[in-house]
Amino acid sequence: MCNESIKINKAVETTGMFGGKFLVVHQGHVSAMQKAASMVDRLHIIVTYNVELEQNSYFNHSVITPISIEQRLRWWHEITKDMSHVSIHAVEETNINNEPDWESCADRIKAVVAKPIDVVFSSEPSYEHYFSRLYPNAEHIVIDPNRQACPISATQIRNEGAMQHWQHLPDVVKSYFAKSVVIVGTESTGKSTLASRLAEYYETCFVAEAGRHFYEAIGAEIVIYEDFAAIAYEQKYKERQARKVANKVFFIDTEAITTQYFSMAYLDTRQAVLDEIAKLQNYDLWLFLEPDVEWVADGLRSFGEVEVREKNNRLLKGLLAAFGIDY
């Protein structure tokens, strides 16, 4: 068995392999990958997967939901996008009598690497038994077996939750686990104020209402049919950007169902495109604000009468009910 202090010194190009299920990718994985990548000319990251086994075993008592192979591949591609000598591969695992079939998996790994593997990297000294048999011409280099560089394991994250180990997650993984809270309501119910103050309290970001910015840029709330799809698209883009920098949670002022409500309130028109966008939404928590605070005329509002506010409130609640939204 070799360890990470050994240096690779060959005249020909060296090929390394670093594999795992990576459920969840954490900073320890990234640190090991970076060290491995510095020791060979080309590094192949192998992401193994077995959907049934993962659901029944790895996520059976987990506080997080199963993570798809596509998501794990995407994390690694984002993390290594500037490392031209690093390649990412997915390799499906098979089992024999509920035990990993290391031999067939090794055959598939060799096939995707398509070159002799000179070095196999891991963080587990116990894997020497398998690697010496499956990769007899490769050195096994163990990187940080005691997890001193990053004291965390994927098992801990699955069992205790991503929030508990936030500092050990790469940024691209943090965005996956960030919780979204959307705030909805009719005009002048305090959505913008609440979103910004919650974000300040939780030291994170919020997404301002795209519609307000849209009409402020025009200088007046002169509404036409095409506005609403443009507003919904801009809102979704801003949500995506906010998720990337969120500190565990982020807050959103208004979404596509509320935008649909405004289309119906202003134009008496329900737009199919807004319904389709609404079907794709997936927020962790909805907060509904009743129109029980004073209506404030700010130049971009139109429905100040009490009866109209109550009618619009019922309209929005009806839309939320039609989409099965709990708030």
Side-chain angles (χ1 to χ4, degrees), residues 9 30 48 85 100 145 154 177 212 234 244 259 261 271 288 303:
N9 184 19
V30 176
T48 59
H85 70 303
F177 287 108
R212 172 167 293 278
E234 181 179 353
K244 293 178 180 179
T259 303
Y261 145 74
Q271 301 193 28
F288 186 96
F303 305 115

Side-chain angles (χ1 to χ4, degrees), residues 146-160:
N146 298 320
R147 294 190 172 91
Q148 293 178 331
C150 186
I152 192 62
S153 70
T155 302
Q156 280 181 276
I157 297 172
R158 290 194 304 273
N159 292 343
E160 299 171 13

